Amino acid sequence: MIDRLTPIRSIKLSEPAQRALAEANIFTLEDVAHWSIHELLSLHGVGPKTIRILTPILESLGLSFKT
């Protein structure tokens, strides 16, 4: 079951994206919601595909990226 505290490591993202998020201290889906899409894309290793994967997951939890 996926919830707000689901570890990012359990989401199927590329290894570069996983590393970039961990280096930015983003460890859960709730942590992701504290970042804007622009901020996330500025992390080396995070690209549009990562955002496309995370968006519907966040929405299903009633979360969204910071605006």
Side-chain angles (χ1 to χ4, degrees), residues 5-61:
L5 299 179
T6 296
I8 289 296
R9 274 280 184 216
S10 67
I11 307 297
K12 288 194 177 249
L13 300 175
S14 69
E15 279 303 312
Q18 294 282 4
R19 281 193 302 274
L21 295 172
E23 289 172 9
N25 295 317
I26 300 171
F27 299 109
T28 67
L29 291 170
E30 191 168 316
D31 292 340
V32 171
H34 294 285
W35 289 66
S36 71
I37 291 173
H38 179 74
E39 290 169 330
L40 290 169
L41 289 173
S42 73
L43 300 175
H44 181 73
V46 175
K49 184 175 180 181
T50 301
I51 302 303
R52 284 194 304 271
I53 292 168
L54 291 173
T55 299
I57 296 170
L58 290 177
E59 288 174 354
S60 74
L61 298 171

